[in-house]
């Protein structure tokens, strides 16, 4: 491989993200937070709305590791959306070994973000209907609180899609007329 293929080709400057996209990117981290904090309460031993019998399965070490991991990974994935409106979404930070300083190919950001947005939308599309399904393991108050804490997840996919579309528009190749 020649040295030329490893170096980034000069490109036209990318316009800054619109204000709405920056706001939407930051909101992605916030919409994931309430459900994650609820799961962390479970990990710390608070029944968080569950009946005594309903809480029992969450008191095992495996369940606690799963809930903590799910909460942390969800938040980290949501934070990645911010990369679509920040410089590190265009050039890999220098401190990252092997690839630091290299330009991010737009498709390498757009494809996973778009697939993630579609998947998240499908996963959370039923959240607004939380109260239509009985939750026998939750108290009445717990059902209300958990329903409220999970409602923001409905926005995670659409917000990610909107920010991804903005990133795509800013990075698309301009054809010469």
């Amino acid at each position: 491989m020649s040295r030329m293929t490893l170096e980034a080709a000069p490109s036209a400057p990318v316009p800054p993200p619109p204000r709405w996209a920056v706001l939407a990117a930051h909101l992605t981290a916030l919409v994931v937070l309430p459900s994650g904090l609820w799961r962390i309460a479970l990990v710390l031993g608070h029944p968080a709305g569950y009946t005594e019998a309903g809480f029992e399965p969450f008191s095992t070490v495996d369940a606690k590791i799963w809930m903590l991991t799910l909460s942390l990974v969800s938040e980290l994935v949501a934070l990645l959306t911010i990369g679509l409106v920040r410089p590190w979404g265009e050039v890999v930070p220098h401190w990252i070994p092997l690839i630091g300083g290299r330009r991010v190919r737009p498709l390498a950001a757009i494809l996973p973000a778009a697939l993630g947005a579609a998947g998240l939308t499908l996963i959370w599309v039923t959240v607004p209907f939380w109260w239509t399904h009985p939750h026998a393991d939750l108290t009445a108050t717990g059902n209300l609180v958990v329903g409220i804490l999970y409602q923001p997840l409905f926005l995670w996919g659409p917000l990610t899609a909107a920010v991804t579309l903005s990133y795509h528009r800013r990075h698309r190749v301009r054809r010469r007329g």
Side-chain angles (χ1 to χ4, degrees):
M1 217 180 248
S2 73
R3 185 170 170 86
M4 285 296 277
T5 60
L6 296 175
E7 294 177 6
S11 61
V14 176
R19 211 166 136 84
W20 67 263
V22 174
L23 178 61
H26 286 86
L27 279 174
T28 58
L30 293 177
V31 300
V32 176
L33 193 59
S35 60
L37 292 174
W38 176 75
R39 285 189 297 274
I40 289 171
L42 292 170
V43 168
L44 296 174
H46 188 280
Y50 276 101
T51 63
E52 191 174 321
F55 180 65
E56 192 174 322
F58 296 104
S59 58
T60 69
V61 172
D62 288 346
K64 289 180 179 191
I65 290 170
W66 165 248
M67 289 184 295
L68 187 59
T69 302
L70 178 61
S71 297
L72 292 174
V73 169
S74 295
E75 195 61 43
L76 289 173
V77 168
L79 287 168
L80 282 176
T81 307
I82 296 173
L84 298 172
V85 296
R86 302 292 301 150
W88 53 271
E90 295 169 10
V91 176
V92 179
H94 289 283
W95 56 267
I96 296 181
L98 302 176
I99 60 171
R102 291 192 184 197
R103 204 165 123 56
V104 174
R105 292 185 179 188
L107 196 56
I110 294 166
L111 187 59
L115 290 173
L120 289 166
T121 300
L122 289 173
I123 289 169
W124 299 114
V125 71
T126 62
V127 169
F129 307 105
W130 169 268
W131 293 280
T132 63
H133 307 322
H135 300 279
D137 292 339
L138 291 168
T139 65
T141 303
N143 191 55
L144 176 65
V145 171
V146 174
I148 291 169
L149 294 177
Y150 270 73
Q151 289 305 307
L153 291 172
F154 178 74
L155 300 172
W156 189 5
L159 285 170
T160 302
V163 177
T164 303
L165 182 59
S166 171
Y167 184 92
H168 167 70
R169 286 180 176 165
R170 291 185 306 113
H171 290 82
R172 69 179 163 222
V173 177
R174 305 276 191 267
R175 289 188 167 67
R176 293 183 188 157

